Structure formats: structure tokens, C-alpha cells
Amino acid sequence: MENVIMVTGATGVLGREVLERVRRTGLPVRALTRRTELPAEPGVAWFTGNLATGDGLDEAFAGVRTIIHCASDARRPKNDIPAFHRLLDAAKRAGVEHIVNISIVGVDRNPFPYYRIKLEGERLLAESGIGWTNLRATQFPELLNMALKAVSKLPVVIVPARTELQPVDQGEVADRLVELAQGEPAGQVPDLAGPKVYPATRLAKDWLRAAGRRRLVLPVFIPGRIGRAFRSGAQTAPDRAVGVRTWEQYLAAEVSR
Ligand SMILES: NC(=O)c1ccc[n+]([C@@H]2O[C@H](COP(=O)([O-])OP(=O)(O)OC[C@H]3O[C@@H](n4cnc5c(N)ncnc54)[C@H](OP(=O)(O)O)[C@@H]3O)[C@@H](O)[C@H]2O)c1
């Protein structure tokens, strides 16, 4: 069977990078979005489908061998659980052989609500009976960029105190996902983390300098178990600092003016 690859979340930060790389492999590639106006992109078959409702999934998945699952509803993350059920049910009906899932470093060590949902998705996948591969990555610089752009509209930029992050380039995560999608189901694979660990305050100050914005950076103590988990470094993986592109390189290329 030809390895027809479906990318969910193909309009997102990560999905766009994944889609472009799958396209470059020359393998047949499909892309899923909730949008009804589909991009006209050479070499990609776009499908309208909604994982939260199941609409359109049977058509989109028919004949697919591998799914790279990058979709997630960050605004309504609770939708991700029904979405996972519908993804798996439709994948089974279509005879999909391999689902490559993207998750986040620390989902098993931090009770942050979005992380709990990601962990539940991992569990559903592992118990689905479908071949699976799960990769956990650290924070994408593009996510930090979008978050800092939003919070820097205020005069004071609030960041979590004594918290470290380890940005990993979303393009490098996409490279790894596409590599995994061309192999056999591998289960839980080693984490993918960026080349350096930075205090969140430093990331914010570097970003403000690059963006040419003068703001006060105010570290705020997050109470409770979630704050403790973040301060303990649960979201970093210093022993898996295999990413190459640094935060400084990202800022120079994408933010500095
Ligand atoms: N951002 C990070 O730092 C980071 C780090 C590690 C792992 N991750 C994981 O990487 C994945 C992608 O993150 P991202 O930052 O690229 O997200 P994103 O930019 O918000 O993109 C999410 C995508 O999901 C699609 N989507 C949402 N709900 C859907 C639904 N009900 N049915 C079908 N598609 C749906 C959206 O497509 P349409 O709007 O076109 O339908 C969108 O393209 C997520 O699983 C996230 O947890 C992220």
C-alpha cells in the first residue's frame, strides 16, 4: 500500500511546516482543515473536516495509510478529547496503519489543564490498537512570539517567575515528524527539545529588544501545583537538547526589524 499521508491541523504553526515537508518527499499528501474555502496548493489534496464533530473525516481519511496529527483547538482545548475519539474511530474505519502524534514535553509531570488533555490524547492513542508514534516537543518559538506580541500590548509584560523554557524550532519538529511518518510505528520516541534552556524573563526581554518595544518585564509567582511544576522545569528536557536553531537566531530572522 502506498504511504498516503494525511496532515491534520495543516493550517497551523506546526502543520504548515509538516505539510510543506511531506510535499517535498513526493509522497501523496492530504491536508485537513475546518475551512470550507480550501487553499489551492499544487501537490496537496485539501479536505474540509472537523475532528470535534467527525464531519468530513471518512472522505478525508479513505485510502490514507499514515496520519500526522497536528490539530489542536487551543481556544477550546476540551474539544481535543472528543476530537481524539473521532480521529481514532475514523482512522480505524479507513484502515489507517500509523498515527504520528505531536505532544508536549512535561505533559506527564505538570497538571496544567492543557497538558492533562494532551496526556489523555496520548493514552487514547496508545490504547487504540492502531500503530502509533508519539513525539513530545518543547515550546515553539512561534508560539512564544505570538504570546509576547499579545501581552506586550500592555505596558507591563507579565511572565512566570523562576520558570525556564527551552524553545525548539517548529521546522525541526516538523522534520522529525515527517521522518517518523515514513517509518514504522515506534511508540513513545525520545523528546525533542531546543538547544538552550532560558529563564522566561530572558526570553521576554530578548523578544522586546528584537521587536523594538520598551516594556517592563514583571515576573509573577504562580501558586499551587501547576506553578511548582513549571518552576521545577517539567516543561524542559535539558538532556534532549538536540534542536539546532536558537532563540537568538529565530529573533534575528523573524522578529528583528
Ligand atoms: N505551540 C507549541 O509551542 C507546541 C509545543 C509542542 C507541541 N505542540 C503541539 O503541536 C500541535 C500543533 O500546535 P500549533 O501551535 O501548530 O497549533 P495551531 O497553530 O493552533 O494549529 C492548530 C490547528 O488545528 C486545527 N484544528 C483545530 N481544531 C480542529 C478541529 N476541530 N478539526 C480539525 N482541525 C482542527 C486548526 O485548523 P483549522 O482552523 O484550519 O481547522 C489549526 O490548523 C498541538 O497538538 C500542540 O499541542 C505545540
Side-chain angles (χ1 to χ4, degrees):
M1 183 180 173
E2 196 175 20
N3 194 6
V4 178
I5 298 184
M6 157 61 76
V7 181
T8 72
T11 58
V13 168
L14 176 65
R16 280 195 301 268
E17 303 274 354
V18 170
L19 187 62
E20 175 53 22
R21 285 159 175 77
V22 180
R23 209 180 53 76
R24 277 192 244 136
T25 65
L27 290 167
V29 57
R30 298 190 190 173
L32 190 76
T33 174
R34 287 166 298 182
R35 298 176 193 174
T36 46
E37 259 183 48
L38 297 175
E41 216 171 320
V44 179
W46 281 88
F47 288 81
T48 301
N50 190 331
L51 289 160
T53 62
D55 291 345
L57 300 187
D58 286 335
E59 296 81 348
F61 292 178
V64 167
R65 179 163 149 205
T66 303
I67 295 175
I68 306 180
H69 182 44
C70 300
S72 174
D73 194 345
R75 288 205 193 132
R76 289 168 299 263
K78 278 192 183 150
N79 281 349
D80 282 1
I81 298 294
F84 232 106
H85 282 288
R86 299 206 197 275
L87 171 89
L88 295 172
D89 290 348
K92 271 183 211 163
R93 287 194 297 272
V96 169
E97 291 176 15
H98 187 189
I99 298 180
V100 179
N101 183 51
I102 180 68
S103 187
I104 306 175
V105 166
V107 290
D108 53 340
R109 292 178 283 173
N110 187 335
F112 183 57
Y114 183 61
Y115 284 15
R116 281 195 173 168
I117 289 167
K118 296 294 294 180
L119 188 63
E120 175 65 3
E122 289 187 355
R123 189 188 66 77
L124 292 171
L125 178 61
E127 292 175 1
S128 67
I130 302 173
W132 62 278
T133 301
N134 188 60
L135 174 68
R136 292 177 180 159
T138 51
Q139 310 74 43
F140 305 155
E142 187 55 32
L143 171 92
L144 300 176
N145 179 37
M146 290 189 301
L148 285 162
K149 217 183 258 179
V151 295
S152 67
K153 294 204 169 96
L154 299 170
V156 175
V157 171
I158 291 172
V159 295
R162 287 195 273 132
T163 298
E164 293 183 325
L165 298 171
Q166 193 177 358
V168 64
D169 187 71
Q170 52 274 352
E172 292 172 20
V173 177
D175 285 338
R176 179 73 176 127
L177 290 172
V178 174
E179 179 187 27
L180 291 166
Q182 292 177 85
E184 293 303 311
Q188 184 66 46
V189 294
D191 293 347
L192 179 46
K196 285 202 231 170
V197 176
Y198 304 81
T201 45
R202 157 88 191 276
L203 293 172
K205 286 178 185 171
D206 286 355
W207 184 90
L208 287 166
R209 200 175 309 112
R213 290 191 193 177
R214 293 168 77 88
R215 299 283 187 279
L216 184 70
V217 174
L218 182 66
V220 169
F221 189 82
I222 305 174
R225 285 194 304 144
I226 293 174
R228 263 201 307 282
F230 277 116
R231 284 188 295 281
S232 77
Q235 64 290 346
T236 62
D239 55 337
R240 289 290 306 154
V242 293
V244 175
R245 194 187 198 196
T246 63
W247 176 239
E248 292 81 2
Q249 288 168 330
Y250 171 82
L251 291 177
E254 314 291 345
V255 181
S256 290
R257 45 193 76 207

